[in-house]
Amino acid sequence: AQKVTQAQTEISVVEKEDVTLDCVYETRDTTYYLFWYKQPPSGELVFLIRRNSFDEQNEISGRYSWNFQKSTSSFNFTITASQVVDSAVYFCALSDTSTGGFKTIFGAGTRLFVKA
Amino acid sequence: GAVVSQHPSWVICKSGTSVKIECRSLDFQATTMFWYRQFPKQSLMLMATSNEGSKATYEQGVEKDKFLINHASLTLSTLTVTSAHPEDSSFYICSARDSPNYGYTFGSGTRLTVV
């Protein structure tokens, strides 16, 4: 069955600190997709990244980086030199074929507070 | 890039009335759309999968007679909350799959308040 676990409910950091958001997933499929979304207070979901299960290459985009480790079923997200504007809820999500429709299941989310 | 428009952004309705929320894919055809509900400070919970030209598939525990989904065209899916009650107040978000890349695009969400 699909499952996404974000063990960190809330994280509070001071501006310019680095912060890592953890994500552990479960799936029986060999083909699946992992996502990270940002949800600011306004509510809309902002797409950050998608990885497929065959591409374990880590990725860096500006201050954001992602570490995909199939061996530990983890897809962690690091923000370097955090800024106040990074304050939001971050969701990790998984999509696989187990239900035949590539439904996306979300983790519980991690609320990040970045203080000035 | 792919854009999904969701309307209205917010709505307030009286208990017992019905509310329709629209989800449109603006620059791509979406054979499959998904509807999610999010209660305050909680995660997004999948309600149903909407397939163009066929019946929606509802997740366990979601009342299909209360949350009517229609996906009549490749660019439009609608969610109608029938006989709304205060406990239906929530944030509803749709997403569409930008096949064949299996990318997902989310609408901006609809905040429903039932008074």
Side-chain angles (χ1 to χ4, degrees):
Chain A
Q2 295 172 305
K3 188 176 181 181
V4 177
T5 302
Q6 294 180 256
Q8 305 149 307
T9 305
E10 289 187 1
I11 299 176
S12 184
V13 298
V14 177
E15 210 171 18
K16 298 185 183 177
E17 284 186 17
D18 298 347
V19 58
T20 295
L21 310 181
D22 298 333
C23 174
V24 175
Y25 62 93
E26 291 179 31
T27 176
R28 293 178 184 158
D29 272 12
T30 55
T31 301
Y32 54 89
Y33 296 84
L34 295 164
F35 306 82
W36 275 96
Y37 291 91
K38 174 182 180 180
Q39 188 177 43
S42 54
E44 79 275 17
L45 280 177
V46 179
F47 168 81
L48 297 178
I49 191 171
R50 180 186 77 208
R51 304 299 279 174
N52 71 58
S53 52
F54 299 108
D55 182 3
E56 281 194 78
Q57 194 169 15
N58 292 327
E59 184 160 333
I60 298 175
S61 176
R63 296 185 296 108
Y64 296 167
S65 62
W66 292 269
N67 186 340
F68 179 22
Q69 299 270 355
K70 286 180 76 172
S71 60
T72 55
S73 296
S74 65
F75 186 42
N76 297 336
F77 172 33
T78 298
I79 301 175
T80 303
S82 60
Q83 300 176 1
V84 172
V85 293
D86 296 328
S87 297
V89 180
Y90 291 86
F91 291 100
C92 179
L94 165 71
S95 182
D96 65 18
T97 60
S98 63
T99 55
F102 273 102
K103 294 189 296 187
T104 303
I105 302 299
F106 286 79
T110 297
R111 188 174 297 273
L112 175 64
F113 296 97
V114 181
K115 295 180 283 189
Chain B
V3 177
V4 171
S5 173
Q6 189 171 341
H7 179 80
S9 300
W10 59 270
V11 58
I12 301 174
C13 71
K14 290 185 177 180
S15 188
T17 61
S18 296
V19 174
K20 180 185 284 188
I21 303 170
E22 293 187 349
C23 181
R24 293 181 183 273
S25 56
L26 296 186
D27 49 2
F28 66 99
Q29 294 183 330
T31 55
T32 304
M33 291 185 175
F34 303 89
W35 287 96
Y36 294 82
R37 179 169 54 184
Q38 184 182 31
F39 291 109
K41 296 192 176 182
Q42 293 189 24
S43 186
L44 284 79
M45 300 302 296
L46 181 64
M47 298 175 66
T49 302
S50 171
N51 297 299
E52 186 267 335
S54 64
K55 290 183 179 180
T57 305
Y58 291 81
E59 295 300 300
Q60 194 171 10
V62 177
E63 301 174 58
K64 60 180 67 177
D65 293 331
K66 181 168 188 60
F67 298 100
L68 300 180
I69 292 173
N70 186 292
H71 194 154
S73 77
L74 286 170
T75 59
L76 174 64
S77 175
T78 61
L79 168 68
T80 302
V81 183
T82 63
S83 188
H85 289 98
E87 56 266 31
D88 298 324
S89 298
S90 186
F91 192 57
Y92 294 86
I93 307 177
C94 70
S95 76
R97 195 170 79 192
D98 180 12
S99 184
N101 297 320
Y102 296 114
Y104 293 88
T105 303
F106 282 81
S108 56
T110 298
R111 193 165 300 281
L112 170 64
T113 302
V114 184
V115 297

